[in-house]
Amino acid sequence: MTKLKTLIISLCLVAVATGCAAKTGDTQNAAASAKTKDTITIAWYPNESGADLKNAREELGKVIETATGKKVEHKTTTDYIIAIEAIASGGADLAFMGPQGYVEANAKNKKVQPLVVASGESGTLDDAVYYSWLNVRKGEEGSYKKGEGFAMDAIAGKKFSFVSNSSTSGFKVPSAGIIGYFNKQEKFKSLTVDDLLQGGKDKFFSEVLFGGTHQGAAVNLLTGKADVAAFCDTCVSNYVELESGTANKPGAVYKVKQGAAEPFNTLIGKEFTIISSTPVLNSPFAINTDTISAEDQKKLRDAFISDEVTKNPKVFLPKDSKESGLFKQKTGKEKFLPVEDAWFNPVRDLSK
């Protein structure tokens, strides 16, 4: 795990807290009612709130219901901040969120703690990562070539799409990488993250867009609204397939596959090329320990890491599955694992 943290920090800084004030006072009486509440609410980011992932959400809801004997209510959202605020304020008891969103929710309310994360292909935390990509449309990658590889130099002055400034792989990691790369150049030695938020003739980017979701950022790229876009592999994996190159490596080309659901259904066959790829710590299921009793917390943790859930093909889709899902097997060793708050310190360090 130490090696992984070192890798994340170094790659984020070398390669490539916003939000409303938390109403933590709303949770003051939550602990007293936690044992008696009969409904558990789980908040979902916009990326996981679409109709194509309804079955995946409901299957995890069944896991929670079976473990606790309580009804599950799904709170789908249209903005990262809604989900972050919900778990921090006690409006939701659980949330599936990116590492940056978790860090923000935990900063608002220390009672928000990680429950589990999905392991890596090894079945451990050692490779429990997904990837933050910088992407350009297929055929335009030549402008970003440098020697045998790719470089970021040409992104300056381009139309750029992030996801949300509360997104780890759609903002925090790529912005840190951009700053780390360009600060080494005399012209951009004073470049800051704030300089990446707005576009214009006198700005680093000519235009800056926020897709709202990883899917939205990808659509901004493929429809020509953006020249370069940051989004992650897992959030678009249900809609695209590897056309050429090595998965998650610069130079890899991905194509929107036949039958892709909205918002990609009108973009079938469109292609993009990765010019930068950075590993990011896997996303946690976070829990508000003020609104769920210690007994139910244990029941939930035990259920998530159980063999029954690990082998559930509706939770961890088989490698050859054509269904849309949140978690997919590559080796068959993938499973949920308990994780401590400190595991996310590399993400906190990006803000320092």
Side-chain angles (χ1 to χ4, degrees):
M1 184 172 72
T2 300
K3 290 182 179 179
L4 175 61
K5 289 183 178 180
T6 302
L7 175 66
I8 298 296
I9 294 172
S10 61
L11 286 177
C12 289
L13 295 179
V14 177
V16 197
T18 63
C20 309
K23 300 177 181 178
T24 53
D26 294 344
T27 63
Q28 289 180 347
N29 298 319
S33 61
K35 293 183 179 180
T36 58
K37 66 186 304 181
D38 57 8
T39 299
I40 291 177
T41 301
I42 180 167
W44 299 94
Y45 270 6
N47 310 305
E48 290 79 39
S49 290
D52 58 313
L53 291 175
K54 181 180 179 181
N55 290 340
R57 294 194 300 269
E58 290 185 345
E59 188 64 25
L60 284 163
K62 292 176 183 177
V63 170
I64 295 167
E65 288 180 341
T66 300
T68 63
K70 296 178 178 179
K71 180 182 176 182
V72 169
E73 178 180 306
H74 295 278
K75 182 182 183 69
T76 55
T77 64
T78 56
D79 191 284
Y80 276 53
I81 293 299
I82 296 174
I84 293 168
E85 180 67 19
I87 188 69
S89 68
D93 308 296
L94 281 164
F96 181 59
M97 56 204 320
Q100 176 63 24
Y102 164 72
V103 167
E104 291 182 18
N106 174 262
K108 291 171 178 288
N109 183 358
K110 295 301 181 184
K111 294 295 184 179
V112 176
Q113 293 289 314
L115 183 70
V116 294
V117 298
S119 75
E121 295 178 26
S122 68
T124 72
L125 293 177
D126 291 341
D127 56 351
V129 297
Y130 62 109
Y131 290 87
S132 172
W133 294 340
L134 291 188
N135 310 277
V136 300
R137 285 181 293 277
K138 177 69 172 67
E140 299 177 12
E141 65 271 18
S143 300
Y144 306 88
K145 291 282 287 185
K146 189 173 185 179
E148 296 299 315
F150 292 86
M152 292 189 202
D153 301 78
I155 71 173
K158 293 294 195 295
K159 295 183 293 182
F160 195 99
S161 181
F162 291 110
V163 174
S164 160
N165 53 8
S166 288
S167 171
T168 313
S169 55
F171 181 76
K172 203 69 178 181
V173 167
S175 62
I178 292 168
I179 297 300
Y181 184 84
F182 282 94
N183 276 171
K184 297 175 183 177
Q185 302 177 23
E186 183 65 25
K187 181 180 178 180
F188 298 110
K189 66 180 182 180
S190 299
L191 188 70
T192 68
V193 172
D194 287 343
D195 296 325
L196 305 182
L197 295 174
Q198 293 183 327
K201 291 183 179 180
D202 59 340
K203 303 293 185 181
F204 182 80
F205 292 124
S206 62
E207 186 177 350
V208 176
L209 301 90
F210 286 89
T213 63
H214 289 263
Q215 295 93 323
V219 169
N220 282 342
L221 175 69
L222 294 175
T223 56
K225 293 180 180 179
D227 302 310
V228 187
F231 49 89
C232 80
D233 62 323
T234 56
C235 286
V236 299
S237 63
N238 290 318
Y239 316 96
V240 304
E241 57 190 2
L242 182 66
E243 180 71 5
S244 64
T246 303
N248 292 313
K249 297 293 184 182
V253 176
Y254 285 81
K255 179 174 69 176
V256 178
K257 61 187 179 182
Q258 288 292 330
E262 293 183 351
F264 294 91
N265 56 314
T266 61
L267 298 168
I268 307 301
K270 294 287 187 180
E271 298 177 319
F272 62 87
T273 303
I274 300 174
I275 62 169
S276 176
S277 181
T278 305
V280 182
L281 294 172
N282 270 353
S283 300
F285 279 93
I287 189 168
N288 189 316
T289 59
D290 237 2
T291 66
I292 294 185
S293 68
E295 180 182 0
D296 281 342
Q297 291 172 39
K298 184 178 186 305
K299 288 179 179 178
L300 288 170
R301 185 175 292 104
D302 289 347
F304 271 86
I305 66 176
S306 68
D307 287 343
E308 183 178 359
V309 168
T310 299
K311 296 176 181 178
N312 184 336
K314 295 181 179 179
V315 175
F316 286 97
L317 298 182
K319 185 177 181 179
D320 58 353
S321 176
K322 302 299 182 183
E323 299 296 318
S324 293
L326 295 169
F327 308 98
K328 295 183 178 180
Q329 292 184 348
K330 292 183 179 179
T331 64
K333 297 179 180 179
E334 293 85 355
K335 56 186 175 182
F336 291 122
L337 293 171
V339 70
E340 301 289 335
D341 171 77
W343 196 67
F344 296 97
N345 282 343
V347 177
R348 291 186 176 93
D349 291 341
L350 289 175
S351 298
K352 294 180 180 178

